Amino acid sequence: MLSRCTIAPQRAAAYWGIPATRLRNFPEEDAAIVRLTRSHGLAMRRRMRRLGTALGVVLALLAPAQVARGAWVVDANGACVERWTSADLLRGPTAIVNAPLLPFRSLAGGAEYAWNTEEWWPYQIAVLGPAVTLVSAGFGAVESLWWVATGLADTLTGGALFLAPERATQLSIAPDVPSVIADRPEPPATTDRCGRPLPAATPAPQ
């Protein structure tokens, strides 16, 4: 509740910028008690800070957005072009469903990465192994929140903005190593963006 106090007419006039000479024009019963809200300014500043925080979160969600980006499909001329399809409606729900699995996948991925790092054996594994595993799980938990937020945004926009990461839209239970622990090497492409097989590379003549 907002605290209020009763102040003298002279203090009220000074607070509101009213000349003291004008106090004679006020009825005595009205000028005797003037109620002011001391915490009004503080409450307003709190509201502004909350509004600024909310706007910052919204901008962070919209920062990676790519408007009108769609799936790669083959047009009537056989060319591979980008176009929004009805399948994009599932981007958001898929990311939301996939998000709770990510911390456990990251935990398993971090443990697998530490176990397979031969240079840590036999002495450093006792310290680096649990540390990498816990850090991986922590980053997986943070990233899962991002997947939920962007998945919700994609759900509301029908997937037209492509806010959710591609990894979030692919259901999987395989171990996942966060990028802060190890880089994810991109496998060589065998198909184009529309899924058509690429021609085999011919060896260079010697």
Side-chain angles (χ1 to χ4, degrees):
M1 295 294 293
L2 299 178
S3 59
R4 295 189 175 185
C5 66
T6 301
I7 63 176
Q10 292 79 6
R11 293 180 59 190
Y15 183 88
W16 294 107
I18 302 174
T21 55
R22 294 185 58 186
L23 289 179
R24 293 193 301 268
N25 299 329
F26 288 97
E28 183 177 356
E29 60 274 14
D30 293 337
I33 300 176
V34 180
R35 298 184 180 275
L36 297 175
T37 302
R38 288 183 174 180
S39 60
H40 177 72
L42 291 176
M44 183 61 69
R45 285 194 289 270
R46 292 193 194 101
R47 295 191 191 100
M48 294 302 295
R49 283 197 294 267
R50 291 170 185 168
L51 179 60
T53 302
L55 290 176
V57 172
V58 173
L59 291 176
L61 292 177
L62 295 179
Q66 299 183 18
V67 180
R69 174 187 161 192
W72 290 91
V73 296
V74 180
D75 63 5
N77 298 323
C80 189
V81 296
E82 279 186 308
R83 185 176 301 166
W84 184 90
T85 64
S86 59
D88 295 325
L89 293 172
L90 298 178
R91 288 183 57 86
T94 304
I96 295 174
V97 172
N98 206 18
L101 301 175
L102 184 60
F104 303 100
R105 294 174 55 198
S106 299
L107 179 70
E112 183 179 29
Y113 175 82
W115 183 267
N116 293 331
T117 305
E118 298 180 357
E119 56 266 25
W120 290 357
W121 290 87
Y123 304 109
Q124 297 177 348
I125 190 64
V127 176
L128 295 180
V132 168
T133 302
L134 293 177
V135 170
S136 299
F139 274 96
V142 173
E143 192 172 9
S144 68
L145 297 178
W146 175 252
W147 285 13
V148 171
T150 54
L152 179 60
D154 267 348
T155 302
L156 296 177
T157 58
L161 298 182
F162 271 58
L163 292 172
E166 290 298 323
R167 291 171 49 242
T169 62
Q170 301 167 359
L171 286 175
S172 175
I173 59 174
D176 183 86
V177 182
S179 58
V180 296
I181 301 298
D183 295 331
R184 299 187 183 95
E186 292 291 337
T190 58
T191 61
D192 63 5
R193 293 176 174 177
C194 292
R196 297 176 298 185
L198 293 175
T202 56
Q206 298 183 358

Coordinates of all heavy atoms in Angstrom, one line a residue, residues 59-118:
L59 N 13.5 -7.5 -27.5 CA 14.5 -7.2 -28.5 C 15.5 -8.3 -28.6 O 16.0 -8.6 -29.8 CB 15.2 -5.9 -28.2 CG 14.4 -4.6 -28.3 CD1 15.2 -3.4 -27.8 CD2 13.9 -4.4 -29.7
A60 N 15.9 -9.0 -27.5 CA 16.8 -10.1 -27.6 C 16.2 -11.2 -28.4 O 16.9 -12.0 -29.1 CB 17.2 -10.5 -26.2
L61 N 14.9 -11.4 -28.2 CA 14.3 -12.5 -28.9 C 14.2 -12.2 -30.4 O 14.3 -13.1 -31.2 CB 12.9 -12.8 -28.4 CG 12.8 -13.3 -26.9 CD1 11.4 -13.5 -26.5 CD2 13.5 -14.7 -26.9
L62 N 14.0 -11.0 -30.7 CA 13.8 -10.6 -32.1 C 15.1 -10.3 -32.9 O 15.1 -10.2 -34.1 CB 12.9 -9.3 -32.2 CG 11.4 -9.5 -31.8 CD1 10.7 -8.2 -31.9 CD2 10.7 -10.6 -32.5
A63 N 16.2 -10.3 -32.2 CA 17.5 -9.9 -32.8 C 17.8 -10.9 -33.9 O 18.3 -10.5 -35.0 CB 18.6 -9.8 -31.7
P64 N 17.8 -12.2 -33.7 CA 18.2 -13.1 -34.8 C 17.1 -13.4 -35.8 O 17.3 -14.3 -36.6 CB 18.5 -14.4 -34.0 CG 17.6 -14.4 -32.9 CD 17.4 -12.9 -32.5
A65 N 16.0 -12.7 -35.8 CA 14.9 -13.0 -36.7 C 15.3 -12.6 -38.1 O 16.0 -11.7 -38.4 CB 13.7 -12.1 -36.3
Q66 N 14.8 -13.5 -39.0 CA 15.0 -13.3 -40.4 C 13.6 -13.3 -41.1 O 13.0 -14.3 -41.3 CB 15.9 -14.3 -41.1 CG 17.3 -14.4 -40.5 CD 18.2 -15.4 -41.1 OE1 17.9 -15.8 -42.2 NE2 19.3 -15.7 -40.5
V67 N 13.1 -12.1 -41.3 CA 11.7 -12.0 -41.8 C 11.5 -12.6 -43.1 O 12.4 -12.5 -44.0 CB 11.3 -10.5 -41.8 CG1 9.9 -10.3 -42.3 CG2 11.5 -9.9 -40.4
A68 N 10.4 -13.3 -43.3 CA 10.0 -13.9 -44.6 C 11.0 -14.9 -45.1 O 11.1 -15.2 -46.3 CB 9.8 -12.8 -45.6
R69 N 11.7 -15.5 -44.2 CA 12.6 -16.6 -44.6 C 11.8 -17.9 -44.6 O 11.2 -18.2 -43.6 CB 13.8 -16.7 -43.7 CG 14.7 -17.9 -43.9 CD 15.8 -17.9 -42.8 NE 16.4 -19.3 -42.8 CZ 17.1 -19.7 -41.8 NH1 17.4 -18.9 -40.8 NH2 17.7 -20.9 -41.8
G70 N 11.9 -18.7 -45.6 CA 11.1 -19.9 -45.7 C 12.0 -21.1 -46.0 O 13.2 -21.1 -46.0
A71 N 11.3 -22.3 -46.2 CA 12.0 -23.5 -46.5 C 12.5 -23.5 -48.0 O 12.0 -22.8 -48.8 CB 11.1 -24.7 -46.2
W72 N 13.5 -24.3 -48.2 CA 14.0 -24.5 -49.6 C 13.2 -25.5 -50.3 O 13.1 -26.7 -49.9 CB 15.5 -24.9 -49.5 CG 16.4 -23.8 -49.1 CD1 16.8 -23.5 -47.8 CD2 17.0 -22.7 -49.9 NE1 17.6 -22.4 -47.7 CE2 17.7 -21.9 -49.0 CE3 16.9 -22.4 -51.2 CZ2 18.4 -20.8 -49.5 CZ3 17.7 -21.3 -51.7 CH2 18.4 -20.5 -50.8
V73 N 12.6 -25.1 -51.4 CA 11.7 -26.0 -52.2 C 12.1 -25.9 -53.7 O 12.8 -24.9 -54.1 CB 10.2 -25.7 -52.0 CG1 9.8 -26.0 -50.6 CG2 9.9 -24.3 -52.4
V74 N 11.7 -26.8 -54.5 CA 12.0 -26.8 -55.9 C 10.8 -26.2 -56.6 O 9.6 -26.7 -56.4 CB 12.2 -28.3 -56.4 CG1 12.5 -28.2 -57.9 CG2 13.4 -28.9 -55.7
D75 N 11.0 -25.2 -57.4 CA 9.9 -24.5 -58.1 C 9.6 -25.2 -59.4 O 10.1 -26.2 -59.7 CB 10.2 -23.0 -58.3 CG 11.4 -22.8 -59.2 OD1 11.9 -23.8 -59.7 OD2 11.8 -21.6 -59.4
A76 N 8.7 -24.6 -60.1 CA 8.2 -25.2 -61.4 C 9.4 -25.3 -62.4 O 9.3 -26.2 -63.3 CB 7.1 -24.4 -62.0
N77 N 10.4 -24.5 -62.3 CA 11.5 -24.5 -63.2 C 12.6 -25.4 -62.8 O 13.7 -25.4 -63.5 CB 12.0 -23.1 -63.4 CG 11.0 -22.1 -64.0 OD1 10.2 -22.6 -64.9 ND2 11.0 -20.9 -63.6
G78 N 12.4 -26.1 -61.7 CA 13.5 -26.9 -61.2 C 14.6 -26.3 -60.4 O 15.6 -26.9 -60.0
A79 N 14.4 -25.0 -60.0 CA 15.3 -24.3 -59.2 C 15.0 -24.4 -57.8 O 13.9 -24.6 -57.4 CB 15.4 -22.8 -59.6
C80 N 16.1 -24.4 -56.9 CA 15.9 -24.5 -55.5 C 15.7 -23.1 -54.9 O 16.7 -22.2 -55.0 CB 17.1 -25.2 -54.9 SG 17.0 -25.6 -53.1
V81 N 14.6 -22.8 -54.4 CA 14.2 -21.4 -53.9 C 13.7 -21.5 -52.5 O 13.2 -22.6 -52.1 CB 13.2 -20.7 -54.8 CG1 13.8 -20.5 -56.2 CG2 11.9 -21.5 -54.9
E82 N 13.7 -20.4 -51.8 CA 13.1 -20.3 -50.4 C 11.7 -20.0 -50.5 O 11.3 -19.0 -51.2 CB 13.9 -19.3 -49.6 CG 15.2 -19.7 -49.0 CD 15.8 -18.7 -48.1 OE1 15.9 -17.5 -48.6 OE2 16.1 -19.0 -47.0
R83 N 10.9 -20.7 -49.7 CA 9.4 -20.4 -49.7 C 8.9 -20.9 -48.4 O 9.2 -22.0 -47.9 CB 8.8 -21.1 -50.9 CG 7.3 -20.7 -51.1 CD 6.8 -21.4 -52.3 NE 7.5 -20.9 -53.5 CZ 7.5 -21.5 -54.7 NH1 6.8 -22.6 -54.9 NH2 8.1 -21.0 -55.7
W84 N 7.9 -20.1 -47.8 CA 7.3 -20.6 -46.6 C 6.3 -21.7 -47.0 O 5.6 -21.7 -48.0 CB 6.5 -19.5 -46.0 CG 5.9 -19.8 -44.7 CD1 6.4 -19.7 -43.4 CD2 4.6 -20.4 -44.5 NE1 5.5 -20.2 -42.5 CE2 4.4 -20.6 -43.1 CE3 3.5 -20.7 -45.4 CZ2 3.2 -21.1 -42.6 CZ3 2.3 -21.2 -44.8 CH2 2.2 -21.4 -43.4
T85 N 6.3 -22.8 -46.1 CA 5.4 -23.9 -46.3 C 4.7 -24.2 -45.1 O 5.0 -23.7 -44.0 CB 6.2 -25.2 -46.8 OG1 7.1 -25.5 -45.7 CG2 7.1 -24.9 -48.0
S86 N 3.6 -25.0 -45.2 CA 2.8 -25.3 -44.0 C 3.6 -26.1 -43.0 O 3.3 -26.1 -41.8 CB 1.6 -26.2 -44.5 OG 2.0 -27.3 -45.1
A87 N 4.7 -26.8 -43.4 CA 5.5 -27.5 -42.4 C 6.2 -26.6 -41.4 O 6.6 -27.1 -40.3 CB 6.6 -28.4 -43.2
D88 N 6.4 -25.3 -41.8 CA 7.0 -24.4 -40.9 C 6.1 -24.1 -39.7 O 6.6 -23.5 -38.7 CB 7.3 -23.1 -41.6 CG 8.4 -23.3 -42.7 OD1 9.3 -24.1 -42.5 OD2 8.3 -22.6 -43.7
L89 N 4.8 -24.4 -39.7 CA 4.0 -24.3 -38.6 C 4.4 -25.1 -37.4 O 4.1 -24.8 -36.2 CB 2.5 -24.6 -38.9 CG 1.8 -23.7 -39.9 CD1 0.5 -24.3 -40.3 CD2 1.6 -22.3 -39.3
L90 N 5.2 -26.2 -37.7 CA 5.6 -27.1 -36.6 C 6.9 -26.7 -36.0 O 7.4 -27.4 -35.1 CB 5.7 -28.5 -37.1 CG 4.4 -29.1 -37.7 CD1 4.7 -30.5 -38.2 CD2 3.4 -29.2 -36.5
R91 N 7.6 -25.7 -36.5 CA 8.9 -25.3 -36.0 C 8.8 -24.9 -34.5 O 9.6 -25.4 -33.7 CB 9.4 -24.1 -36.8 CG 9.9 -24.4 -38.2 CD 10.5 -23.2 -38.8 NE 11.6 -22.6 -38.1 CZ 12.9 -23.1 -38.2 NH1 13.2 -24.0 -39.0 NH2 13.8 -22.5 -37.4
G92 N 7.9 -24.0 -34.2 CA 7.8 -23.6 -32.8 C 7.4 -24.7 -31.8 O 8.1 -24.9 -30.8
P93 N 6.3 -25.5 -32.1 CA 6.0 -26.6 -31.2 C 7.1 -27.6 -31.0 O 7.3 -28.1 -30.0 CB 4.7 -27.2 -31.8 CG 4.1 -26.1 -32.6 CD 5.3 -25.3 -33.1
T94 N 7.8 -27.9 -32.1 CA 8.9 -28.9 -32.1 C 10.0 -28.4 -31.2 O 10.6 -29.1 -30.4 CB 9.4 -29.2 -33.5 OG1 8.4 -29.6 -34.3 CG2 10.5 -30.2 -33.4
A95 N 10.3 -27.1 -31.3 CA 11.4 -26.5 -30.4 C 11.0 -26.5 -29.0 O 11.8 -26.8 -28.1 CB 11.7 -25.1 -30.9
I96 N 9.7 -26.3 -28.7 CA 9.3 -26.3 -27.3 C 9.3 -27.7 -26.7 O 9.7 -27.9 -25.6 CB 7.8 -25.7 -27.2 CG1 7.8 -24.2 -27.6 CG2 7.3 -25.9 -25.8 CD1 6.4 -23.6 -27.7
V97 N 8.9 -28.7 -27.5 CA 9.0 -30.1 -27.1 C 10.4 -30.6 -26.9 O 10.8 -31.3 -26.0 CB 8.2 -31.0 -28.0 CG1 8.4 -32.5 -27.7 CG2 6.7 -30.6 -28.0
N98 N 11.3 -30.1 -27.8 CA 12.7 -30.6 -27.8 C 13.5 -29.9 -26.7 O 14.5 -30.5 -26.3 CB 13.3 -30.2 -29.1 CG 14.5 -31.2 -29.5 OD1 14.6 -32.2 -28.9 ND2 15.3 -30.7 -30.4
A99 N 13.1 -28.8 -26.2 CA 13.9 -28.0 -25.2 C 14.1 -28.7 -23.9 O 15.3 -28.7 -23.4 CB 13.2 -26.6 -24.9
P100 N 13.2 -29.4 -23.3 CA 13.5 -30.1 -22.0 C 14.5 -31.2 -22.1 O 15.1 -31.6 -21.1 CB 12.1 -30.6 -21.6 CG 11.1 -29.8 -22.3 CD 11.7 -29.4 -23.6
L101 N 14.7 -31.7 -23.3 CA 15.7 -32.8 -23.5 C 17.1 -32.3 -23.5 O 18.0 -33.1 -23.3 CB 15.4 -33.6 -24.7 CG 14.0 -34.3 -24.8 CD1 13.8 -34.9 -26.2 CD2 13.8 -35.3 -23.7
L102 N 17.3 -31.0 -23.9 CA 18.6 -30.5 -24.2 C 19.5 -30.6 -23.0 O 20.7 -30.9 -23.1 CB 18.5 -29.1 -24.7 CG 19.8 -28.4 -25.1 CD1 20.5 -29.3 -26.2 CD2 19.6 -27.0 -25.6
P103 N 19.1 -30.2 -21.7 CA 20.1 -30.3 -20.6 C 20.6 -31.7 -20.4 O 21.8 -31.9 -20.1 CB 19.3 -29.8 -19.4 CG 18.2 -28.9 -20.0 CD 17.9 -29.6 -21.3
F104 N 19.8 -32.7 -20.6 CA 20.3 -34.1 -20.4 C 21.1 -34.5 -21.6 O 22.1 -35.3 -21.4 CB 19.0 -35.0 -20.3 CG 18.1 -34.7 -19.1 CD1 17.0 -33.9 -19.4 CD2 18.4 -35.0 -17.8 CE1 16.1 -33.6 -18.3 CE2 17.6 -34.7 -16.8 CZ 16.4 -33.9 -17.0
R105 N 20.8 -34.1 -22.8 CA 21.6 -34.4 -23.9 C 23.0 -33.7 -23.8 O 24.0 -34.3 -24.1 CB 21.0 -33.9 -25.2 CG 19.7 -34.7 -25.5 CD 19.0 -34.0 -26.8 NE 19.9 -34.0 -27.9 CZ 19.7 -33.2 -28.9 NH1 18.7 -32.4 -29.0 NH2 20.6 -33.2 -29.9
S106 N 23.0 -32.5 -23.3 CA 24.3 -31.8 -23.1 C 25.1 -32.4 -22.0 O 26.3 -32.5 -22.0 CB 24.0 -30.3 -22.7 OG 23.3 -29.7 -23.8
L107 N 24.4 -32.9 -20.9 CA 25.1 -33.6 -19.8 C 25.8 -34.8 -20.4 O 27.0 -35.1 -20.1 CB 24.1 -34.0 -18.7 CG 24.7 -34.7 -17.5 CD1 25.6 -33.8 -16.7 CD2 23.6 -35.3 -16.7
A108 N 25.1 -35.6 -21.2 CA 25.7 -36.8 -21.8 C 26.8 -36.5 -22.8 O 27.8 -37.1 -22.8 CB 24.6 -37.6 -22.4
G109 N 26.6 -35.4 -23.5 CA 27.6 -35.0 -24.5 C 28.9 -34.5 -23.8 O 30.0 -34.8 -24.3
G110 N 28.7 -33.8 -22.7 CA 29.9 -33.3 -22.0 C 30.7 -34.5 -21.4 O 31.9 -34.5 -21.5
A111 N 30.0 -35.5 -20.8 CA 30.6 -36.6 -20.3 C 31.3 -37.5 -21.3 O 32.4 -37.9 -21.2 CB 29.6 -37.5 -19.5
E112 N 30.7 -37.6 -22.5 CA 31.2 -38.4 -23.6 C 32.5 -37.7 -24.1 O 33.5 -38.3 -24.4 CB 30.2 -38.6 -24.7 CG 30.7 -39.4 -25.8 CD 29.6 -39.6 -26.9 OE1 28.8 -38.6 -27.0 OE2 29.6 -40.6 -27.6
Y113 N 32.4 -36.3 -24.2 CA 33.6 -35.6 -24.7 C 34.8 -35.7 -23.8 O 35.9 -35.9 -24.2 CB 33.2 -34.1 -24.9 CG 34.4 -33.2 -25.3 CD1 34.8 -33.1 -26.6 CD2 35.0 -32.5 -24.3 CE1 35.8 -32.3 -26.9 CE2 36.1 -31.7 -24.6 CZ 36.5 -31.6 -26.0 OH 37.6 -30.8 -26.3
A114 N 34.5 -35.6 -22.5 CA 35.6 -35.7 -21.5 C 36.2 -37.1 -21.5 O 37.4 -37.3 -21.4 CB 35.1 -35.4 -20.1
W115 N 35.3 -38.1 -21.6 CA 35.8 -39.5 -21.6 C 36.7 -39.8 -22.8 O 37.7 -40.6 -22.7 CB 34.6 -40.5 -21.5 CG 35.0 -41.9 -21.4 CD1 35.2 -42.8 -22.5 CD2 35.3 -42.6 -20.2 NE1 35.5 -44.0 -22.0 CE2 35.6 -44.0 -20.6 CE3 35.3 -42.3 -18.9 CZ2 36.0 -45.0 -19.7 CZ3 35.7 -43.3 -18.0 CH2 36.0 -44.6 -18.4
N116 N 36.3 -39.2 -23.9 CA 37.1 -39.5 -25.2 C 38.3 -38.6 -25.4 O 39.0 -38.8 -26.4 CB 36.1 -39.4 -26.4 CG 35.1 -40.5 -26.4 OD1 35.3 -41.6 -25.8 ND2 33.9 -40.2 -26.9
T117 N 38.5 -37.7 -24.5 CA 39.7 -36.8 -24.7 C 40.9 -37.5 -24.0 O 41.1 -37.5 -22.8 CB 39.4 -35.4 -24.0 OG1 38.2 -34.9 -24.5 CG2 40.6 -34.5 -24.2
E118 N 41.7 -38.1 -24.9 CA 42.8 -39.0 -24.4 C 43.9 -38.2 -23.6 O 44.5 -38.7 -22.7 CB 43.4 -39.7 -25.5 CG 42.4 -40.7 -26.3 CD 43.1 -41.4 -27.4 OE1 44.3 -41.1 -27.7 OE2 42.4 -42.2 -28.1

